Amino acid sequence: MTHFSKSPNPTGTNVNWNDPQLQTLLSKTAGWSLDNRGVFSPVDCVIHVGWGASAGKSGSLVHSQEGVMVVATPSIIPAGEQVRIDRVQAGVMRSTWGTIVEAREGRREDDRINKLHVYWIHAR
């Protein structure tokens, strides 16, 4: 599953995915991954898993925009889980409920050292 919901071919243009030139280009980019965390200052947060009141897991909100949050934490949380993200914003505790739509191990060097997992959350 990917956190993008757009069609890969929105204009209806036909693409020959078997074209040797396109395959060569795609093979060169196969290992690339995008990580836009550099444009957002991380914010400490607490992640509560499930609908009940449970002990929170520490984490860091590494990206946020309308309807989407990205959180990094050493805790393992399966995709599909309902979560509540608590963080202090402008001196006030803020909570956002959402669903984890994608989860993976962190790829940055610091992520690997700290054994972080990265989660994309669609907020409600």
Side-chain angles (χ1 to χ4, degrees):
M1 177 187 291
T2 176
H3 53 281
F4 298 106
S5 59
K6 295 181 181 176
S7 167
N9 194 0
T11 61
T13 304
N14 291 324
V15 175
N16 179 2
W17 294 101
N18 297 318
D19 180 303
Q21 288 180 319
L22 182 56
Q23 288 299 313
T24 300
L25 176 62
L26 292 173
S27 70
K28 290 178 182 178
T29 63
W32 292 6
S33 63
L34 296 177
D35 191 333
N36 297 326
R37 288 186 266 169
V39 298
F40 185 88
S41 297
V43 176
D44 289 338
C45 66
V46 177
I47 305 152
H48 299 272
V49 179
W51 293 106
S54 63
K57 302 171 186 297
S58 64
S60 181
L61 177 63
V62 295
H63 183 77
S64 182
Q65 66 184 48
E66 185 70 31
V68 177
M69 302 172 88
V70 181
V71 174
T73 179
S75 302
I76 297 174
I77 308 168
E81 282 286 350
Q82 305 299 313
V83 293
R84 186 182 84 219
I85 309 299
D86 294 340
R87 74 237 178 249
V88 176
Q89 186 177 24
V92 177
M93 179 63 77
R94 303 281 183 196
S95 295
T96 303
W97 285 92
T99 303
I100 294 179
V101 294
E102 187 172 338
R104 66 164 170 80
E105 290 183 10
R107 295 183 180 137
R108 291 180 171 195
E109 184 176 341
D110 285 350
D111 294 346
R112 288 190 210 120
I113 290 169
N114 296 309
K115 299 180 179 173
L116 295 179
H117 297 267
V118 181
Y119 300 95
W120 280 260
I121 300 164
H122 283 188
R124 285 192 273 292

